[in-house]
Amino acid sequence: MPRGKALFLAYDHGIEHGPKDFNLLNCNPRYVFDLAVDGKFDAIIVQAGLAEKYYEGYKDKIPLIIKLNGKTSLGNREPYSAANCSVRRALKLGASAVGYTIYPGSKREEDMFREAGMIIEEAHDHNLPVIMWSYPRGEGFDGKSTQNTAYAARVALELGADIVKVEYGGDVDGLKWVVKNAGKTRVMIAGGEKKNGDCVLEEARVAMDAGAYGLAVGRNIWQSDHPLQLANALRKIVFNNKSVEEVKKEFWH
Ligand code: FBP
């Protein structure tokens, strides 16, 4: 994993959201693997099945992060996601890191914490970094408030994650509090549903100003009509500390 800053491309949505996220182009994993390479992302995040069937030709081109758990959005169940892939299998598939989602606030948080702890132990035995998606979810609370997001980041630190991925749409000060609570665990921001490009760039700027490690974006890239332009602009914000205005002038308009 890169030490300084990072930009990952997430494509684990087939299991999480199903085909509603896809069109004829981005439904094809090869299209998204190519985008990860051409957009110079630091890694692509997929479930084991996609890695097994599609990563072969990309092994020298883009580092792989295997998401070890996942759940569908079918039915109306308590937020809970169990591992479907082992650390051992992820290593065999060529993973440079593994990912695991927890839902602090779920009635089943203990089950996910237990599994996360075991995965972290095994991954660290093999020097494999662990990225924890930490999304506060459960009945009757606003999962995305600053304090809940900071809580979710803190849980990831205490469980032993190397990187925590959070959903955050607040301001720089709020996100600074999240980063502070994450301590030595580095914070990455998820992209969320597709928004207009300017908005994606502004959120990226807020993330980096707050001291985040980087971004792990999905839909905003592979659903975009100009994915490489947007990826280039994001890279300038994440790695070159450019302002939104600067990158818009260079890439956008
Ligand atoms: P996006 O950048 O597209 O939001 O992807 C981030 C992500 O965490 C994915 O890795 C995951 O598949 C999805 O969002 C889960 O979203 P949710 O739990 O909100 O349905």
Side-chain angles (χ1 to χ4, degrees):
M1 286 297 101
R3 295 298 312 166
K5 302 285 172 202
L7 186 58
F8 297 155
L9 185 61
Y11 186 57
D12 57 328
H13 303 61
I15 207 166
E16 299 287 338
H17 301 159
K20 77 173 167 53
D21 278 0
F22 300 146
N23 58 27
L24 283 173
L25 203 58
N26 59 35
C27 186
N28 180 355
R30 281 191 213 290
Y31 172 73
V32 181
F33 272 90
D34 285 339
L35 275 186
V37 175
D38 297 341
K40 300 189 175 64
F41 283 86
D42 293 304
I44 185 166
I45 303 165
V46 292
Q47 289 275 339
L50 287 199
E52 215 152 60
K53 301 267 187 298
Y54 295 90
Y55 189 51
E56 188 59 39
Y58 295 90
K59 280 191 171 150
D60 299 328
K61 298 181 181 156
I62 179 93
L64 176 73
I65 298 171
I66 300 268
K67 185 75 197 314
L68 297 181
N69 66 343
K71 61 160 186 52
T72 71
S73 47
L74 299 169
N76 186 19
R77 288 163 290 153
E78 191 61 20
Y80 172 62
S81 188
N84 58 57
C85 175
S86 64
V87 169
R88 195 164 158 264
R89 182 175 174 208
L91 277 167
K92 279 201 278 186
L93 289 169
S96 301
V98 291
Y100 185 89
T101 297
I102 56 167
Y103 297 112
S106 158
K107 287 183 184 134
R108 301 204 58 187
E109 63 176 22
E110 295 90 340
D111 296 328
M112 290 173 278
F113 292 0
R114 188 180 314 112
E115 190 164 66
M118 291 188 301
I119 281 167
I120 289 167
E121 182 181 7
E122 192 183 347
H124 286 176
D125 281 348
H126 292 91
N127 292 320
L128 212 53
V130 178
I131 302 156
M132 189 163 283
W133 281 229
S134 191
Y135 294 172
R137 286 187 191 170
E139 245 174 53
F141 72 95
D142 168 16
K144 292 185 192 172
S145 70
T146 298
Q147 203 66 329
N148 283 339
T149 310
Y151 200 162
R154 188 69 184 200
V155 171
L157 166 69
E158 306 222 358
L159 290 175
D162 304 287
I163 296 172
V164 62
K165 178 174 168 185
V166 296
E167 298 177 297
Y168 191 68
D171 60 10
V172 177
D173 287 339
L175 193 50
K176 278 185 179 163
W177 180 235
V178 174
V179 170
K180 196 91 190 149
N181 274 278
K184 284 189 174 182
T185 298
R186 290 171 283 178
V187 174
M188 296 191 93
I189 312 299
E193 282 180 10
K194 187 170 174 238
K195 319 171 198 42
N196 82 45
D198 288 7
C199 189
V200 177
L201 298 179
E202 272 148 28
E203 286 185 7
R205 192 60 264 164
V206 166
M208 302 323 289
D209 287 343
Y213 174 59
L215 315 168
V217 286
R219 288 163 286 182
N220 277 290
I221 294 293
W222 44 260
Q223 288 180 349
S224 167
D225 293 334
H226 309 283
L228 294 180
Q229 212 174 348
L230 185 53
N232 283 335
L234 285 176
R235 273 212 324 279
K236 291 282 174 183
I237 290 177
V238 171
F239 299 107
N240 303 102
N241 203 23
K242 296 280 185 190
S243 70
V244 172
E245 288 317 312
E246 283 172 312
V247 298
K248 271 165 68 175
K249 231 182 269 162
E250 198 175 339
F251 295 108
W252 212 235
H253 292 296

